[in-house]
Amino acid sequence: MNKKEVAHIRKQFKLDNHLMNIYDILNVYIMKETNEIYHWERNPFELVDREKQELYMGNFKKLLTGELDHKLFELKFQEEAEDQKDPSRVLLHQAMQTGDPEEWQDLMLLLVDKMMADTTYERDTVITFVRGQYYRPTKARNEEAEETGNDEVFGHPFILCSVNSTEKQRKALLFDYVEREFKYNIIVDPIIKLSTPEQGFFYPSVTDNYSDVNRVLYCTGKSNDPNERFISEVLNAQRSVTAMEERGIFEDIVKEVAGEQLDSATIAHVYEEIHHVIESHQDEEEPAKLDYTDVERVLTASGIDNVTKEAVERAFETIVDDKNYELKANSVIPKFTSKSIKIDTKVATITVSPQDLRYVKQVNYQGRRCILIEVDEDAVIEGFTLSTETLL
């Protein structure tokens, strides 16, 4: 599943969209004190108040927002889970195929049982399921043709699950316009935090614009923080490597080959080389990946001495126990457009963009290690221009 496919699905979650039909919605309320189902209800989505529909649509779109391998993870189902009672792949596939709302509801409640098993919720929690179908044009839109691209579409049935916590309303003083008086807010009903889903999933995943029933898209509310128990015990899926973990693997491989210490210009060259790899794959469906031969080329082009394919291959075997492992290029490099590299020191944390890392150096001045940053203009602190000192 790539970002274009995720983006297409996400943008379908809006009202009055002829490319999206949501048939039923099931809400399950779980009490934190008892960790049991306090209430559940199923309704045809079209009979839900429009205001509620808008809130749900915003929640579903928020759930599917984020970068792959950061907040969204395409997961394979565990093969050994087929021997378990009610494996999730079977439950979800049956639920997607059934046309009976009650059967779908019962299958989703079995998933809720899995979510509650051996788990304690810190707050009252609402688990929401919807089943529906979205449509994708099978050909590009042609304005000159009699039939447009939207005249021929292919339907993709799906199930989406969103897990949202609740919070109590804050004490507040209200003003009543009718009575013209100030009143104390005594509402005690919990608020369902639909704007910040904690986790959930979308089934089935998509491969080359076709539904892939052997995979599920897991979504987490916190970047690089997937819920391992939910993935393993609820979805019965295989754990995926996060972008942060992938970057750590890359760093360990480089250290294994080049040593612990590199100057800033070399580090900047490494990131630039990887960035070039990413740019060269922009028009491809699959994201750019780096095997040991690619890493060897990147390190050599960055000016690191004595780098060989054999040494990089051994590093892959040492770090990940697989010489054929492929790193996702997007995961091992901070994005040039939005993210920065942190330089952590005891005194301060400095952030610079990868392309500007070449202007940062660690130097020895009068027996002390210092960070030296080359700048083209005067530095300003709180409105004051720093005076320039000449170091001998």
Side-chain angles (χ1 to χ4, degrees):
M1 196 168 193
N2 58 48
K3 62 181 181 180
K4 291 182 180 179
E5 291 164 335
V6 174
H8 173 78
I9 295 171
R10 181 174 60 246
K11 72 179 184 180
Q12 303 313 317
F13 284 95
K14 56 186 176 182
L15 298 182
D16 305 322
N17 178 18
H18 68 284
L19 294 178
M20 167 72 77
N21 287 329
I22 296 181
Y23 306 130
D24 294 282
I25 182 169
L26 171 67
N27 283 309
V28 182
Y29 195 99
I30 299 175
M31 297 287 289
K32 67 175 181 179
E33 290 86 359
T34 61
N35 201 39
E36 296 177 350
I37 295 177
Y38 178 75
H39 175 73
W40 63 263
E41 63 179 33
R42 171 183 53 82
N43 293 294
F45 193 74
E46 63 181 0
L47 298 184
V48 176
D49 293 341
R50 187 175 180 86
E51 291 77 10
K52 292 182 181 179
Q53 289 181 352
E54 290 179 349
L55 290 174
Y56 286 126
M57 287 296 194
N59 176 61
F60 303 150
K61 185 173 292 187
K62 182 70 173 180
L63 181 71
L64 296 173
T65 298
E67 295 184 56
L68 288 167
D69 301 317
H70 290 261
K71 296 184 71 174
L72 306 176
F73 299 87
E74 185 183 35
L75 307 176
K76 293 181 180 179
F77 288 106
Q78 301 170 2
E79 294 183 3
E80 58 271 20
E82 301 300 326
D83 298 330
Q84 301 178 8
K85 179 182 179 182
D86 299 326
S88 294
R89 173 162 56 179
V90 175
L91 293 178
L92 288 168
H93 193 259
Q94 290 177 348
M96 187 179 67
Q97 289 190 319
T98 184
D100 184 354
E102 291 191 4
E103 182 181 2
W104 171 76
Q105 158 203 298
D106 292 341
L107 290 168
M108 294 302 95
L109 290 176
L110 288 177
L111 282 177
V112 174
D113 290 339
K114 286 189 172 188
M115 295 182 197
M116 294 189 301
D118 302 321
T119 300
T120 301
Y121 290 95
E122 296 180 359
R123 299 179 180 178
D124 289 0
T125 300
V126 176
I127 303 173
T128 301
F129 297 93
V130 292
R131 70 184 187 103
Q133 186 166 225
Y134 70 93
Y135 301 89
R136 191 179 186 97
T138 58
K139 61 181 179 180
R141 184 179 178 89
N142 185 351
E143 299 293 348
E144 298 179 358
E146 292 184 3
E147 290 185 346
T148 66
N150 285 341
D151 292 329
E152 186 178 353
V153 296
F154 187 81
H156 297 265
F158 72 89
I159 293 172
L160 180 144
C161 170
S162 177
V163 180
N164 300 75
S165 64
T166 65
E167 63 181 359
K168 294 182 179 180
Q169 293 197 38
R170 298 178 180 177
K171 297 179 180 180
L173 192 64
L174 306 179
F175 180 73
D176 189 326
Y177 277 99
V178 178
E179 300 294 334
R180 297 193 179 190
E181 63 178 341
F182 295 96
K183 292 183 177 180
Y184 177 68
N185 181 12
I186 58 174
I187 300 175
V188 295
D189 295 332
I191 298 174
I192 303 171
K193 300 168 65 176
L194 290 179
S195 60
T196 54
E198 295 192 344
Q199 62 182 338
F201 63 84
F202 181 91
Y203 174 84
S205 182
V206 176
T207 301
D208 295 330
N209 295 327
Y210 290 95
S211 296
D212 187 346
V213 297
N214 295 314
R215 298 171 186 262
V216 60
L217 182 68
Y218 169 76
C219 316
T220 179
K222 296 180 180 179
S223 184
N224 290 294
D225 188 25
N227 186 319
E228 294 190 18
R229 183 200 165 275
F230 193 97
I231 291 173
S232 176
E233 302 300 324
V234 177
L235 293 178
N236 304 138
Q238 299 177 11
R239 170 75 158 81
S240 178
V241 178
T242 69
M244 184 179 295
E245 292 169 337
E246 192 103 299
R247 187 176 180 187
I249 291 172
F250 174 74
E251 291 173 354
D252 288 341
I253 289 173
V254 174
K255 291 176 183 177
E256 188 75 16
V257 175
E260 293 282 340
Q261 295 185 350
L262 292 175
D263 60 59
S264 59
T266 301
I267 297 173
H269 281 140
V270 170
Y271 286 134
E272 286 178 355
E273 289 296 325
I274 298 175
H275 184 62
H276 293 327
V277 173
I278 296 172
E279 285 187 326
S280 66
H281 287 74
Q282 280 185 345
D283 297 330
E284 300 180 12
E285 292 293 330
E286 289 295 321
K289 294 184 178 180
L290 304 170
D291 60 15
Y292 73 88
T293 60
D294 297 316
V295 173
E296 182 271 334
R297 183 191 58 78
V298 165
L299 298 183
T300 300
S302 302
I304 299 177
D305 297 328
N306 303 320
V307 176
T308 64
K309 287 185 179 179
E310 292 75 18
V312 179
E313 183 179 353
R314 287 195 300 271
F316 269 72
E317 291 179 337
T318 300
I319 303 304
V320 293
D321 196 27
D322 183 3
K323 69 177 182 180
N324 296 316
Y325 186 86
E326 292 183 320
L327 296 156
K328 293 180 181 178
N330 276 314
S331 297
V332 302
I333 181 174
K335 287 193 174 180
F336 278 50
T337 55
S338 61
K339 293 186 179 179
S340 299
I341 296 174
K342 289 185 178 180
I343 304 173
D344 292 318
T345 71
K346 184 177 180 180
V347 176
T349 298
I350 305 168
T351 58
V352 296
S353 59
Q355 64 267 35
D356 292 332
L357 190 59
R358 65 179 70 249
Y359 303 114
V360 181
K361 292 180 174 61
Q362 179 172 283
V363 299
N364 190 309
Y365 173 65
Q366 295 182 352
R368 297 181 179 181
R369 281 175 296 189
C370 302
I371 296 294
L372 176 66
I373 303 176
E374 180 184 341
V375 295
D376 294 329
E377 55 191 17
D378 289 334
V380 178
I381 299 179
E382 297 294 335
F384 294 93
T385 302
L386 286 181
S387 59
T388 302
E389 301 179 29
T390 301
L391 300 180
L392 300 178

